[in-house]
C-alpha cells in the first residue's frame, strides 16, 4: 500500500513571484484553473506575498477580485495564501482590528488555508492572525522561517513549534525561502517536529541552490505530509522544484500524491508560452533561472537575489553584485541574524546595497532599519551588539513588548479617509495595506480619466 504525500502548487503565487516579479495577470491564470482544480492538488497557493502589492501597483488589478475569480472556478481544491502575520501583506505591523477584519474578508472571498509567518519568528506577531483565522473557520498554518546562524539550532525551531501548538494551529510549515535547507537538516527537523505533533507538516523550499529535490526526499522520508512545487515552466532557479518531476519520482518510490499526470502535462503546456513571453519582454531575468550554490553561503532568498541585481543594474552598478552578496550576511549578523524574508529581506538587502555603494558601512541607514533596531518589528533572534545599535540609532530607546500593542485601532479611521473612493470593506482594507497605490487604483476605477501620479517602485523579495 502506497504512502500518501500531498502537493501544494505555487505557480499562481510564489512561482511567478520568484521568477517574474509577481507580474502574472489574472487573465493569464483563469483559462487553466479548471484543469488545475481537477489535477489532484492538495492546495493552490494563489494569494498573499507580493501579489496584493503587484496587483495594485503594476497590473491595475483589484487583488480581491482576483481571489473571487479564482474561487469561482476552483471548487474542489483548497486555496492557500501567504500572510505576514501582523504585517498582513505589507511591510510593517498593522493594528489588531485591521488584522482581524482582513482575515475575515479573505475567508469570505475564498481563502481556505492561511500560511502565517513572522519575519523574525516572533510568535507574538502571529497571535492575532492565528486567533482570527480560527475564529472565522479557516485553517491556520503556523510557519517557521528557516535560516542558518549560531542561534538557529534544532532546539530553537522545536521551541517555536511548541509555541505554535499552544496557539492552536492546524498544521506546521517549515518555510525555507532561501533554498538553503539541506537534506540532512530537513530530515533532522522534520523528525523532531513529527515527534512533537500529529499535525500535518508542510515543507516549502526553493530550487535556488540546486538541492531542493534532495531536501524534499529526505523530508518526505522523515514524515513530512505536504511539499510545495511549481509546474515546470515556472519551476527551478529561484522558484520551487518541478511538480511533474517530483510527482513521477515519488510515485516510483511508493508515494501517492493524487496527481493526474496527463493534466499536469496540459497545465505545463499552458504556462510554457506565458513563461516565454516573460523571458522575451525581460520580466524574467535568465539569471534567476540558474542554479546559485552561493545561496548556501550567503543565505539570500531567490527573490532577493533577483531584486538586488535589478537595483544595481538600474543604478548602473551591476559590477557590485558580488560585493553586495558578501555584505548581506555581514549586515544580517550585525542585526541579530534575522531570517531573510519579507520585510527583513528588503531591509537587509537595501542596507547591504547602501553599505557597498557609499563605501562606508551604515553611513546611510533607512528608517526601516532604525525602526527594526528600536524593536518596532519585534525581537531579533540574537541580541544586536551595542556598538552596532549605537551606530544606527544612537541613544534612542529600544522598545520592549509586542509591537502591535503600541498601535491604536485603525479600521474606522481608514474608512473615513477612504470614503470618497472606497466602495466596499475590501477597498478599505486595500487602502490600509497600501494607501497610495490603493487610492490611485480605486480613484482610477471610479474615473478612467483620473491622472495617476508616478509611483515609487517597491522592493519585492
Amino acid at each position: 500500500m502506497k504512502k500518501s504525500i500531498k502537493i501544494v502548487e505555487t505557480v499562481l503565487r510564489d512561482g511567478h513571484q520568484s521568477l517574474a516579479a509577481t507580474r502574472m495577470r489574472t487573465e493569464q491564470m483563469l483559462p487553466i484553473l479548471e484543469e488545475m482544480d481537477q489535477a489532484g492538488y492538495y492546495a493552490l497557493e494563489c494569494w498573499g506575498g507580493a501579489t496584493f502589492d503587484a496587483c495594485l501597483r503594476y497590473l491595475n488589478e483589484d487583488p480581491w477580485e482576483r481571489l473571487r475569480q479564482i474561487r469561482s472556478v476552483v471548487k474542489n481544491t483548497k486555496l492557500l495564501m501567504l500572510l505576514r502575520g501582523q504585517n498582513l501583506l505589507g511591510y510593517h505591523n498593522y493594528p489588531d482590528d485591521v488584522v482581524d477584519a482582513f482575515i475575515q474578508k479573505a475567508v469570505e472571498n475564498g481563502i481556505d488555508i492561511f500560511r502565517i509567518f513572522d519575519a523574525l519568528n516572533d510568535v507574538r506577531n502571529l497571535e492575532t492572525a492565528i486567533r482570527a483565522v480560527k475564529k472565522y473557520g479557516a485553517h491556520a498554518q503556523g510557519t517557521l522561517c528557516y535560516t542558518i546562524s549560531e542561534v538557529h539550532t534544532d532546539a530553537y525551531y522545536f521551541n517555536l513549534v511548541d509555541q505554535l501548538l499552544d496557539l492552536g494551529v492546524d498544521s506546521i510549515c517549515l518555510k525555507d525561502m532561501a533554498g538553503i535547507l539541506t537534506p540532512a537538516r530537513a530530515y533532522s527537523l522534520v523528525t523532531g517536529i513529527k515527534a512533537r505533533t500529529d499535525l500535518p507538516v508542510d515543507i516549502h523550499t526553493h530550487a535556488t541552490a540546486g538541492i531542493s529535490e534532495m531536501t524534499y526526499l529526505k523530508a518526505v522520508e522523515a514524515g513530512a505530509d505536504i511539499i510545495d512545487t511549481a509546474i515546470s515552466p515556472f519551476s527551478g532557479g529561484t522558484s520551487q522544484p518541478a511538480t511533474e518531476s517530483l510527482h513521477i519520482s515519488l510515485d516510483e518510490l511508493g508515494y501517492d500524491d493524487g496527481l493526474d499526470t496527463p493534466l499536469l502535462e496540459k497545465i505545463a503546456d499552458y504556462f510554457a508560452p506565458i513563461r516565454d513571453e516573460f523571458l522575451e519582454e525581460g520580466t524574467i531575468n535568465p539569471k534567476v533561472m540558474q542554479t546559485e550554490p552561493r545561496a548556501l553561503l550567503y543565505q539570500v532568498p531567490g527573490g532577493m537575489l533577483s531584486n538586488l541585481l535589478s537595483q544595481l543594474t538600474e543604478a548602473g552598478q551591476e559590477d557590485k553584485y558580488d560585493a553586495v552578496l558578501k555584505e548581506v550576511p555581514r549586515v544580517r549578523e550585525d542585526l541579530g541574524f534575522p531570517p531573510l524574508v519579507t520585510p527583513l529581506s528588503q531591509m537587509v538587502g537595501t542596507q547591504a546595497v547602501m553599505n557597498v555603494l557609499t563605501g562606508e558601512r551604515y553611513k546611510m541607514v533607512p528608517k526601516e532599519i532604525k525602526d527594526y533596531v528600536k524593536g518596532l518589528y519585534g525581537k531579533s533572534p540574537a541580541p544586536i551588539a551595542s556598538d552596532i545599535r549605537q551606530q544606527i540609532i544612537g541613544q534612542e530607546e529600544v522598545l520592549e513588548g509586542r509591537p502591535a500593542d503600541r498601535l491604536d485601532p485603525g479600521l474606522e479611521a481608514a474608512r473615513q479617509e477612504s470614503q470618497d473612493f472606497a466602495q466596499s470593506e475590501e477597498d478599505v482594507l486595500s487602502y490600509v495595506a497600501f494607501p497610495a497605490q490603493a487610492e490611485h487604483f480605486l480613484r482610477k476605477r471610479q474615473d478612467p480619466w483620473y491622472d495617476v501620479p508616478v509611483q515609487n517602485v517597491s522592493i519585492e523579495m
Side-chain angles (χ1 to χ4, degrees):
M1 186 173 179
K2 283 195 169 187
K3 294 163 282 188
S4 175
I5 185 72
K6 296 177 180 177
I7 305 293
V8 172
E9 173 61 56
T10 69
V11 67
L12 303 179
R13 204 284 297 178
D14 204 8
H16 73 102
Q17 179 173 324
S18 294
L19 297 182
T22 330
R23 295 302 197 272
M24 194 181 295
R25 302 182 299 277
T26 303
E27 65 184 28
Q28 294 173 305
M29 303 175 183
L30 292 176
I32 197 63
L33 290 181
E34 187 173 341
E35 287 81 358
M36 294 182 74
D37 189 30
Q38 297 169 356
Y41 292 113
Y42 168 66
L44 303 178
E45 190 201 28
C46 65
W47 215 53
T51 60
F52 209 92
D53 188 0
C55 279
L56 293 170
R57 192 185 300 263
Y58 301 114
L59 302 179
N60 192 36
E61 290 190 21
D62 183 346
W64 295 98
E65 181 59 23
R66 170 180 291 189
L67 175 57
R68 287 190 288 268
Q69 290 190 44
I70 293 173
R71 181 81 281 174
S72 71
V73 178
V74 178
K75 304 294 187 182
N76 306 305
T77 311
K78 298 178 188 298
L79 298 183
L80 183 151
M81 77 165 293
L82 183 66
L83 188 82
R84 300 167 184 162
Q86 204 74 31
N87 289 1
L88 292 177
L89 301 174
Y91 310 108
H92 59 82
N93 288 315
Y94 294 94
D96 288 340
D97 66 327
V98 171
V99 173
D100 185 274
F102 185 94
I103 289 171
Q104 179 182 11
K105 287 300 177 183
V107 172
E108 290 177 4
N109 282 274
I111 292 297
D112 301 295
I113 303 171
F114 291 78
R115 178 172 294 168
I116 308 166
F117 77 92
D118 177 66
L120 295 173
N121 286 323
D122 188 335
V123 175
R124 299 173 302 174
N125 291 333
L126 304 177
E127 294 171 357
T128 298
I130 291 172
R131 280 199 304 268
V133 170
K134 302 289 287 184
K135 172 182 173 183
Y136 296 112
H139 179 116
Q141 187 174 84
T143 304
L144 318 173
C145 290
Y146 179 76
T147 190
I148 301 169
S149 80
E150 60 192 39
V151 300
H152 290 91
T153 62
D154 283 10
Y156 167 91
Y157 289 111
F158 297 153
N159 179 55
L160 286 175
V161 170
D162 292 340
Q163 294 180 65
L164 292 172
L165 294 175
D166 287 343
L167 290 175
V169 297
D170 299 296
S171 63
I172 299 291
C173 176
L174 180 57
K175 176 178 170 61
D176 171 30
M177 54 280 172
I180 59 175
L181 179 63
T182 60
R185 193 79 190 278
Y187 191 90
S188 171
L189 287 172
V190 173
T191 299
I193 294 170
K194 294 300 290 186
R196 281 166 167 72
T197 178
D198 293 328
L199 294 181
V201 175
D202 188 333
I203 309 300
H204 175 94
T205 191
H206 290 249
T208 314
I211 62 173
S212 55
E213 290 88 352
M214 291 189 294
T215 294
Y216 274 156
L217 177 58
K218 296 305 293 184
V220 170
E221 288 179 351
D225 304 278
I226 310 165
I227 57 174
D228 292 9
T229 65
I231 203 72
S232 55
F234 280 87
S235 71
T238 55
S239 180
Q240 281 72 53
T243 303
E244 308 98 298
S245 304
L246 282 163
H247 163 63
I248 294 169
S249 301
L250 290 170
D251 178 69
E252 288 190 357
L253 289 169
Y255 293 91
D256 179 12
D257 59 16
L259 293 177
D260 183 304
T261 303
L263 277 178
L264 293 182
E265 293 177 2
K266 187 172 183 179
I267 294 164
D269 288 343
Y270 175 82
F271 281 108
I274 297 175
R275 177 215 42 212
D276 294 343
E277 177 186 333
F278 284 146
L279 280 166
E280 289 170 7
E281 68 188 20
T283 300
I284 294 179
N285 185 323
K287 286 192 174 184
V288 305
M289 304 185 77
Q290 298 172 1
T291 300
E292 180 52 270
R294 289 180 297 180
L296 296 169
L297 301 175
Y298 304 133
Q299 297 129 43
V300 177
M304 186 175 174
L305 283 170
S306 58
N307 193 74
L308 288 175
L309 180 61
S310 175
Q311 286 186 71
L312 292 169
T313 300
E314 289 178 8
Q317 301 283 341
E318 192 172 351
D319 61 315
K320 301 290 199 304
Y321 183 58
D322 285 345
V324 170
L325 283 184
K326 292 176 182 176
E327 178 64 9
V328 167
R330 296 179 64 199
V331 172
R332 184 169 165 262
E333 181 175 1
D334 290 343
L335 299 180
F337 296 109
L340 292 180
V341 65
T342 302
L344 267 300
S345 53
Q346 290 95 324
M347 293 156 57
V348 170
T350 300
Q351 186 65 65
V353 169
M354 288 182 173
N355 287 357
V356 169
L357 296 188
T358 62
E360 183 178 338
R361 305 187 78 235
Y362 304 109
K363 179 180 181 179
M364 294 177 60
V365 180
K367 177 182 182 297
E368 291 81 5
I369 290 287
K370 293 180 180 179
D371 287 346
Y372 166 76
V373 174
K374 292 177 191 175
L376 294 180
Y377 286 85
K379 185 178 180 181
S380 60
I384 298 173
S386 58
D387 59 327
I388 296 295
R389 186 174 64 248
Q390 170 74 24
Q391 188 174 359
I392 293 175
I393 64 170
Q395 298 298 321
E396 292 190 57
E397 178 188 5
V398 176
L399 306 172
E400 301 291 340
R402 188 179 77 107
D405 285 341
R406 302 173 56 86
L407 302 176
D408 294 327
L411 196 56
E412 185 55 41
R415 291 187 184 115
Q416 295 299 318
E417 292 170 10
S418 62
Q419 60 184 337
D420 291 343
F421 49 85
Q423 299 174 356
S424 66
E425 189 79 342
E426 288 87 345
D427 289 348
V428 174
L429 292 164
S430 295
Y431 172 74
V432 174
F434 300 102
Q437 289 72 37
E439 179 175 353
H440 299 326
F441 170 80
L442 296 170
R443 287 190 183 280
K444 185 76 171 177
R445 186 179 66 185
Q446 281 184 333
D447 177 10
W449 297 101
Y450 173 73
D451 188 17
V452 178
V454 176
Q455 300 177 36
N456 294 327
V457 176
S458 72
I459 299 173
E460 298 168 9
M461 299 177 188

